[in-house]
Amino acid sequence: DEGLQAIYVTPLEKHTAKKTLISGNLSHPRSIALDPIKGFLFWSNWNSVEDHLDISGSISWSWLDGSERKVLVNTNLHWPNGLTIDYDNSIIYWCDTFANKIESLNYINNEKTRNV
């Protein structure tokens, strides 16, 4: 939720109940992806035009319950979006709509590549 600067989870059968998974240090949360096999939650956070350009956007991760939050990527990144995961190879892909490029990162060994 960009307005509340948080990420929530809610059960399908009782959509009015929600639990905060991630809050604080989020200016513009955007895309979410899960690796349910390994138990990871990934999300992207944007900078806006009003934000300082020396502050990068980021892709972060945590356990599915929101614990052990860590920043995965926060350099040379502005508007990461469209997170998707290759589960077999533990690779997360995203597009940076500000820089007009697609990148990926192996989130087990932190090997980053620029794709296009």
Side-chain angles (χ1 to χ4, degrees), residues 1-8 26-30 45-46 48:
D1 186 315
E2 184 176 0
L4 297 175
Q5 299 179 338
I7 297 172
Y8 301 97
L26 289 173
S27 55
H28 303 284
R30 288 292 171 180
N45 190 48
W46 282 19
S48 70

Side-chain angles (χ1 to χ4, degrees), residues 52-76:
H52 301 286
L53 289 178
D54 59 336
I55 301 171
S56 293
S58 63
I59 297 173
S60 299
W61 65 341
S62 71
W63 293 113
L64 289 176
D65 66 0
S67 65
E68 302 298 324
R69 177 178 172 177
K70 294 183 175 86
V71 174
L72 200 58
V73 180
N74 66 352
T75 56
N76 298 318

Side-chain angles (χ1 to χ4, degrees), residues 4 10 13 16-17 37 39 62-63 72 79-80 93 97 108 113 116:
L4 297 175
T10 187
E13 60 277 353
T16 57
I37 297 163
S62 71
W63 293 113
L72 200 58
W79 295 344
Y93 293 87
T97 54
I108 301 302
T113 58
V116 178

Side-chain angles (χ1 to χ4, degrees), residues 9-106:
V9 64
T10 187
L12 291 174
E13 60 277 353
K14 191 174 181 185
H15 65 275
T16 57
K18 65 182 177 182
K19 176 185 174 192
T20 303
L21 291 181
I22 306 293
S23 65
N25 244 2
L26 289 173
S27 55
H28 303 284
R30 288 292 171 180
S31 188
I32 293 176
L34 303 175
D35 183 336
I37 297 163
K38 293 183 178 74
F40 295 139
L41 164 69
F42 299 89
W43 66 93
S44 64
N45 190 48
W46 282 19
N47 284 326
S48 70
V49 175
E50 299 84 31
D51 292 337
H52 301 286
L53 289 178
D54 59 336
I55 301 171
S56 293
S58 63
I59 297 173
S60 299
W61 65 341
S62 71
W63 293 113
L64 289 176
D65 66 0
S67 65
E68 302 298 324
R69 177 178 172 177
K70 294 183 175 86
V71 174
L72 200 58
V73 180
N74 66 352
T75 56
N76 298 318
L77 192 62
H78 294 282
W79 295 344
N81 204 13
L83 301 180
T84 192
I85 296 176
D86 172 349
Y87 301 111
D88 293 333
N89 296 302
S90 301
I91 296 174
I92 186 165
Y93 293 87
W94 67 91
C95 59
D96 187 329
T97 54
F98 181 87
N100 200 27
K101 61 184 176 181
I102 298 170
E103 295 184 296
S104 65
L105 176 80
N106 181 306

